[in-house]
């Protein structure tokens, strides 16, 4: 059976005045449809670069990406990216209008016409999904960082992308807000049909969220291992099984015994 998304021999180099740095080397990866896959590794291992290559924002020096056996090279509405930065929203638009923008872009792409009432209702449903319906008339500068990320998530969902690419979207949040949004993302993924490719250097986050975890090392950025997460939902961060898996992944990433 063919993969939904397949990366074949992806290599990316950056040239400086002094030398050539291999950011990604011979990345081979198969991703199933509706899978939650996390790319886990230290800073500098090429995680974000790999995500941008999948999105079509940058091109690899060699290798190919296939979706349903069709090669993809350029950005498209089927792959949308959510970044770590809080300032992803249009500051001149309300929370509701930010989500409406994504819905209108989708309708235009599909050449579908809906009246304003239906579009507003759809936008409100996405805000409800991220628990921000009451803030529909607020502007981004009136929101906390966590709330901005919720709106950005709602806007990404509204675009109905088949593949959601997430580049450490909760990395700048405090611990409690981060865990709340992890739980929210998990609920949204479980309730909606979409493929998520998530980048993080937080091992606990990867374990809590993922079906499958890609372990990477740097200099050059290579895949060490691809590990299936066998922990059942709901996952408890304090459980023995969770922490045993945590220790196993740390041993692989750091190549030395880890005690917790």
């Amino acid at each position: 059976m063919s993969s939904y998304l397949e990366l074949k021999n992806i290599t990316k180099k950056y040239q400086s005045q002094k030398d050539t740095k291999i950011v990604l080397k011979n990345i081979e990866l198969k991703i199933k449809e509706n899978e939650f896959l996390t790319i886990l590794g230290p800073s500098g291992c090429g995680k974000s670069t790999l995500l941008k290559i999948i999105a079509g924002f940058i091109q690899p020096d060699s290798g190919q990406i296939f979706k349903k056996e069709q090669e993809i090279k350029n950005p498209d509405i089927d792959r949308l990216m959510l970044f770590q930065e809080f300032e992803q929203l249009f500051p001149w638009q309300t929370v509701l209008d930010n989500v409406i923008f994504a819905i209108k872009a989708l309708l235009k792409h599909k050449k579908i016409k809906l009246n304003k009432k239906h579009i507003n209702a759809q936008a409100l449903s996405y805000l409800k999904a991220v628990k921000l319906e009451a803030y529909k008339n607020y502007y981004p500068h009136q929101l906390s960082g966590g709330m901005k990320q919720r709106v950005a998530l709602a806007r990404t969902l509204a675009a109905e992308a088949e593949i959601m690419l997430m580049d450490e979207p909760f990395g700048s949040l405090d611990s409690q807000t981060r865990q709340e949004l992890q739980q929210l993302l998990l609920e949204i993924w479980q309730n909606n049909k979409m493929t998520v490719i998530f980048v993080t250097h937080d091992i606990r986050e990867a374990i809590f969220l993922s079906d499958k975890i890609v372990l990477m090392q740097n200099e050059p950025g290579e895949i060490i291992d691809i590990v299936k997460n066998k922990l059942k939902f709901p996952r408890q961060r304090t459980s023995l099984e969770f922490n045993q898996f945590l220790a196993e992944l740390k041993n692989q990433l750091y190549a030395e015994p880890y005690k917790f």
Side-chain angles (χ1 to χ4, degrees):
M1 182 178 178
S2 61
S3 298
Y4 173 64
L5 196 67
E6 185 170 3
L7 283 63
K8 292 186 175 182
N9 196 33
I10 297 294
T11 295
K12 182 65 181 178
K13 304 174 183 177
Y14 286 124
Q15 185 73 45
S16 68
Q17 292 182 344
K18 295 182 179 180
D19 57 15
T20 299
K21 181 178 180 181
I22 302 175
V23 181
L24 294 169
K25 182 180 179 182
N26 302 333
I27 300 297
E28 298 272 346
L29 186 59
K30 294 182 179 181
I31 302 166
K32 297 177 182 178
E33 190 168 11
N34 302 328
E35 186 170 49
F36 198 122
L37 178 136
T38 293
I39 302 170
L40 174 66
S43 298
C45 70
K47 302 185 300 293
S48 296
T49 299
L50 183 58
L51 211 62
K52 290 173 183 175
I53 289 173
I54 296 171
F57 296 157
I58 59 178
Q59 296 299 315
D61 292 305
S62 64
Q64 297 169 291
I65 300 178
F66 296 89
K67 179 188 171 191
K68 296 180 179 178
E69 300 184 343
Q70 298 295 314
E71 187 173 7
I72 55 175
K73 294 183 178 180
N74 301 312
D76 205 335
I77 199 167
D78 66 329
R79 286 159 283 134
L80 292 183
M81 198 155 175
L82 186 64
F83 297 93
Q84 179 177 345
E85 294 79 13
F86 294 151
E87 308 307 327
Q88 301 178 60
L89 305 174
F90 300 131
W92 61 89
Q93 291 188 339
T94 65
V95 165
L96 182 64
D97 287 336
N98 266 277
V99 180
I100 285 173
F101 175 86
I103 294 172
K104 287 183 176 179
L106 175 66
L107 294 175
K108 183 178 180 180
H109 178 77
K110 291 185 173 182
K111 298 179 180 179
I112 298 173
K113 290 185 178 181
L114 282 180
N115 62 40
K116 185 177 180 180
K117 182 178 179 181
H118 283 111
I119 292 173
N120 282 10
Q122 281 190 3
L124 283 171
S125 71
Y126 288 111
L127 287 176
K128 187 175 182 180
V130 298
K131 301 176 175 59
L132 280 181
E133 188 178 15
Y135 293 85
K136 64 181 181 180
N137 294 320
Y138 281 58
Y139 286 87
H141 73 272
Q142 297 173 303
L143 306 177
S144 68
M147 293 167 76
K148 288 177 183 178
Q149 287 300 75
R150 287 175 185 261
V151 180
L153 179 57
R155 190 172 65 178
T156 305
L157 291 170
E160 295 184 7
E162 295 176 32
I163 302 170
M164 186 180 292
L165 307 169
M166 309 188 77
D167 190 4
E168 300 199 54
F170 312 140
S172 299
L173 300 172
D174 63 85
S175 178
Q176 181 176 339
T177 304
R178 183 176 185 142
Q179 289 190 20
E180 289 173 357
L181 287 185
Q182 288 169 358
Q183 182 62 44
L184 176 62
L185 174 60
L186 200 57
E187 291 171 4
I188 289 171
W189 169 68
Q190 289 172 335
N191 293 329
N192 295 272
K193 290 184 177 181
M194 59 182 176
T195 304
V196 178
I197 304 175
F198 191 98
V199 158
T200 187
H201 63 267
D202 186 322
I203 305 177
R204 289 181 178 275
E205 184 171 61
I207 294 173
F208 185 76
L209 293 171
S210 318
D211 281 328
K212 192 162 63 181
I213 302 171
V214 178
L215 304 180
M216 292 189 67
Q217 66 180 11
N218 56 10
E219 297 182 357
E222 294 181 288
I223 293 177
I224 302 171
D225 197 4
I226 300 173
V227 182
K228 183 175 177 58
N229 190 345
K230 297 180 181 179
L231 298 183
K232 296 180 180 179
F233 292 108
R235 293 170 179 163
Q236 303 298 325
R237 303 171 202 267
T238 57
S239 72
L240 177 62
E241 294 79 10
F242 190 103
N243 284 280
Q244 285 176 335
F245 191 27
L246 172 68
E248 290 170 12
L249 293 183
K250 285 190 173 184
N251 287 342
Q252 284 187 271
L253 282 172
Y254 304 135
E256 60 183 24
Y258 178 80
K259 296 179 182 179
F260 59 90

